[in-house]
Amino acid sequence: MLRSGWRQGPAADSLGDSAANGIDSDVRGAQTGAQTAPLIVSVTDFTSHAYRDLPGIARRGFILRRRWPQLDGAVGMWLWVAPTARRCGAVSVWTGRRALAAFVRLPEHVVIMDEYRERGTIRSVILEYESFDAARIRQDAEAWLMSDDRFRAARGAARHGD
C-alpha cells in the first residue's frame, strides 16, 4: 500500500504542532464547553472494477486534497492506493461529525462520487479517538483496510506471481 504525505487542515493548528505535522503524539480532541469531543476519523476504501479507472479516481482525490487547508473542521488526511488490488481511498481526521458531513456534501466530492460510484465498490468506517495519535490512527486504518479479503487475495497473488 502506498500512502501520501500528511495534508494538514485548518483545525490541526488548534491541536498543536504534532497534528499540524501529522507526527505521532497524544493531543486532545476539539474542546466543546467543559467536555472534550472525540476526533472523528473516516477511512474510505474504493475498489475499482477496472484498472483503467484507478488513475482517474486517484487524480481526482489529489485534486480534492488541495482544498484541505480551507475545509472547516479538517485536521488532516492521507491518501492511499493499492494498485495491484485496484483499491484507493483516504484516511481523514475531523474535529467532529458535522465537519465530516459538510465535506461529504461538497459539490466537488459529490461529483467524484457520482462519476465513480458505478465503476467500483466503496466501503467506509468512522472511528473515534479521544486524542490525536498518528501512528495509532494509521495502524487502525490499515488493519481495517487489510480485513477485506480482496486486499489479502491481491497481495497473495502478487507474492505468488514473483
Side-chain angles (χ1 to χ4, degrees):
M1 178 181 326
L2 305 171
R3 183 172 36 89
S4 73
W6 174 254
R7 179 65 168 182
Q8 178 182 334
D13 291 335
S14 66
L15 296 177
D17 288 341
S18 56
N21 297 315
I23 299 170
D24 305 342
S25 67
D26 187 30
V27 179
R28 299 299 291 174
Q31 294 293 322
T32 56
Q35 299 216 351
T36 300
L39 291 172
I40 301 298
V41 174
S42 171
V43 183
T44 59
D45 178 5
F46 177 80
T47 302
S48 178
H49 293 318
Y51 285 106
R52 71 179 173 274
D53 290 329
L54 196 58
I57 189 75
R59 185 177 61 252
R60 299 290 291 272
F62 273 101
I63 291 169
L64 189 56
R65 182 177 182 259
R66 292 181 196 153
R67 293 254 347 245
W68 233 253
Q70 292 86 37
L71 297 178
D72 288 338
V75 175
M77 58 93 72
W78 298 280
L79 293 174
W80 65 272
V81 64
T84 60
R86 298 183 326 274
R87 291 174 62 189
C88 61
V91 179
S92 57
V93 183
W94 304 89
T95 56
R97 289 180 183 267
R98 285 186 184 158
L100 172 58
F103 166 74
V104 169
R105 290 189 305 267
L106 275 178
E108 299 97 311
H109 184 260
V110 172
V111 166
I112 293 169
M113 293 304 298
D114 288 347
E115 183 176 349
Y116 287 95
R117 181 174 285 114
E118 300 301 320
R119 298 183 190 189
T121 58
I122 190 159
R123 66 186 192 121
S124 63
V125 67
I126 294 175
L127 307 168
E128 293 186 1
Y129 294 86
E130 291 300 319
S131 61
F132 182 82
D133 180 339
R136 181 172 170 221
I137 290 169
R138 280 194 308 263
Q139 180 181 24
D140 292 350
E142 288 178 9
W144 182 80
L145 291 166
M146 299 290 271
S147 71
D148 188 324
D149 289 337
R150 294 170 294 178
F151 189 73
R152 286 195 303 268
R155 283 186 55 199
R159 271 194 222 122
H160 291 79
D162 290 342

